[in-house]
Amino acid sequence: MGGAFLAAAVLARIGGRIGLPTIPLFILAGILLGPNTPGIVLVADPHDLEMLSLLGLVLLLFYLGLEFHVDDLKEGGRRMALAGGAYLALNVGAGLGFGFLLGWGTSEALVLAGVLGISSSAIVTKVLVDTGRLGNPETKPILGIIVVEDIFLALYLAALQPVISGADSLGSAALDAGKAFGFLLLLAAAARWGTKVIGKLIATKDNELLVISFLGAAVLVAGVSEWFGVADAIGAFMVGLMLGSTSSGARIRALVHPLRDAFGAIFFFAFGLSIDPGDLPTVLWPVLIAVALTLLMNVFAGLVAARIYAFGRGPAANIATALLARGEFALILATMAASAGLDERLSPFIAGYVLILAVLGPLAAGRSGLLARVLPGRDADGDGTGGGPAGTPERTPLAAGH
């Protein structure tokens, strides 16, 4: 296992030199060194990493909860909600229509709607940092759209869980959904009104005790969430939301960062282990069509957001390309689909789709000026290249680590 992760690290270092994000490279390492690929097999059974992989998923969403603040949504007001809603309507709607056209089933179509509709927060943030655009005016709408996506994701996963798990009847599905939403409301109420009490319970000057406390809380609530029919990762997200607003929030963010990176890598690597490259050709055309559809919808979404904010073509191209990548959330849905016994073509489809867009997204963002030249409209900001100042970036809580 150690050799496998060293190999993943080598691939990630090579990819970093040419500007590729680590997520698709960790997945690629799992594919190459797993049991489904000829050659060296360093991890023969993907289930050997199952618990560590789940912990990685929990920590990824816990960290996003720490970085999420309701104030980030309030500051953007109506325009941020409109831009985020338009992005979701275009991409989730297109994903749902695409899923039904494939004819794999209704549950599968609902999974594909989420896969095609939600951007990768990790890759989007890395793109903004690497391109020096954190201080650009269009960056706040981009981050606002991510916030809206996070809220939608929490609700969507809660609603999707009983549907794909195969509830026996409409009444049973409604009961499961009611339990899930009830538990979510309980967690939301704790995040809204219980922050002071939770802060006092978690507070300690000892870093070791703080790590054990927040890790135990995140994993425990994740497990209880799953018992109530809410995705375990969303339970962890809500714990992060609670703890991020306490007096210990800044220390927790610093302490969880290396844990998130290490176990997050395990999650992506373990997903790669489960992929059989021989299955990818069977879904090649659906993957390519989905990629083209996502490109088109992102361009439309960028133009809509630019219209809402009275931006020109350059910022519109930046918005469209920055939000293009898909990553961790698509893999969460793939994991849920696999555990629910849905169509076996979903996993290779999602793997191929994520790999292509996780690579294409950063590359397109670095060349957004080419897209800006062909978009309709004019450069209201006087910047037709789509580039941004590379000076000192504007640091907001969300931009710093989302």
Side-chain angles (χ1 to χ4, degrees):
M1 193 172 79
F5 287 112
L6 284 176
V10 169
L11 276 177
R13 285 173 178 265
I14 294 172
R17 292 182 180 275
I18 57 176
L20 295 180
T22 57
I23 289 174
L25 296 170
F26 288 145
I27 298 172
L28 181 61
I31 293 173
L32 294 177
L33 300 171
N36 300 312
T37 304
I40 299 174
V41 177
L42 293 181
V43 182
D45 186 355
H47 293 292
D48 290 343
L49 295 181
E50 187 172 6
M51 185 58 69
L52 294 176
S53 173
L54 289 173
L55 184 56
L57 180 59
V58 163
L59 287 172
L60 280 169
L61 270 291
F62 173 71
Y63 185 80
L64 286 182
L66 288 172
E67 291 295 338
F68 179 87
H69 296 282
V70 177
D71 291 341
D72 292 321
L73 186 60
K74 289 181 178 178
E75 288 175 5
R78 181 172 173 270
R79 291 192 300 177
M80 187 180 293
L82 282 174
Y87 187 88
L88 287 172
L90 286 167
N91 285 274
V92 175
L96 184 63
F98 174 76
F100 280 122
L101 284 175
L102 279 180
W104 291 355
T106 300
S107 295
E108 287 78 1
L110 292 171
V111 170
L112 288 172
V115 169
L116 270 67
I118 306 293
S119 305
S120 167
S121 297
I123 298 177
V124 168
T125 303
K126 189 175 188 301
V127 164
L128 294 174
V129 172
D130 291 350
T131 55
R133 293 176 185 163
L134 282 175
N136 280 22
E138 72 273 10
T139 295
K140 282 189 177 180
I142 290 172
L143 296 175
I145 290 172
I146 291 177
V147 170
V148 174
E149 285 184 325
D150 286 349
I151 296 172
F152 171 81
L153 180 74
L155 298 174
Y156 191 71
L157 289 182
L160 190 63
Q161 186 81 13
V163 175
I164 69 173
S165 62
D168 296 332
S169 66
L170 183 60
S172 177
L175 179 62
D176 289 343
K179 286 168 54 181
F181 280 118
F183 186 68
L184 269 180
L185 287 175
L186 179 63
L187 292 178
R192 175 64 178 85
W193 291 291
T195 303
K196 289 185 178 180
V197 175
I198 294 169
K200 289 179 180 178
L201 290 174
I202 200 78
T204 176
K205 294 182 179 179
D206 189 306
N207 282 346
E208 180 183 12
L209 291 178
L210 186 59
V211 169
I212 294 171
S213 298
F214 73 68
L215 189 59
V219 175
L220 176 63
V221 175
V224 174
S225 298
E226 194 170 38
W227 188 51
F228 275 96
V230 177
D232 48 9
I234 296 305
F237 175 86
M238 297 302 293
V239 175
L241 188 65
M242 298 175 202
L243 298 185
S245 300
T246 66
S247 57
S248 304
R251 286 174 59 210
I252 293 174
R253 276 189 287 273
L255 291 169
V256 78
H257 202 283
L259 292 172
R260 180 208 67 176
D261 289 343
F263 288 98
I266 292 176
F267 171 70
F268 297 123
F269 180 84
F271 182 78
L273 291 175
S274 66
I275 299 302
D276 186 348
D279 292 336
L280 294 178
T282 65
V283 293
L284 178 61
W285 284 111
V287 166
L288 293 179
I289 293 170
V291 168
L293 183 62
T294 302
L295 285 168
L296 183 62
M297 290 301 103
N298 266 51
V299 170
F300 282 140
L303 289 171
V304 171
R307 176 66 63 89
I308 292 171
Y309 282 86
F311 289 151
R313 291 185 298 175
N318 287 348
I319 293 170
T321 54
L323 292 167
L324 181 60
R326 301 295 187 263
E328 61 273 18
F329 295 144
L331 301 187
I332 291 170
L333 290 167
T335 303
M336 289 175 61
S339 63
L342 299 187
D343 196 301
E344 60 184 14
R345 290 171 290 185
L346 273 178
S347 287
F349 171 88
I350 293 173
Y353 176 75
V354 168
L355 279 170
I356 291 175
L357 284 182
V359 172
L360 183 61
L363 295 177
R367 295 159 179 81
S368 61
L370 298 176
L371 175 61
R373 293 174 188 171
V374 299
L375 290 180
R378 61 187 182 85
D379 291 319
D381 56 354
D383 180 10
T385 65
T392 303
E394 178 182 348
R395 302 294 291 177
T396 66
L398 186 63
H402 193 289

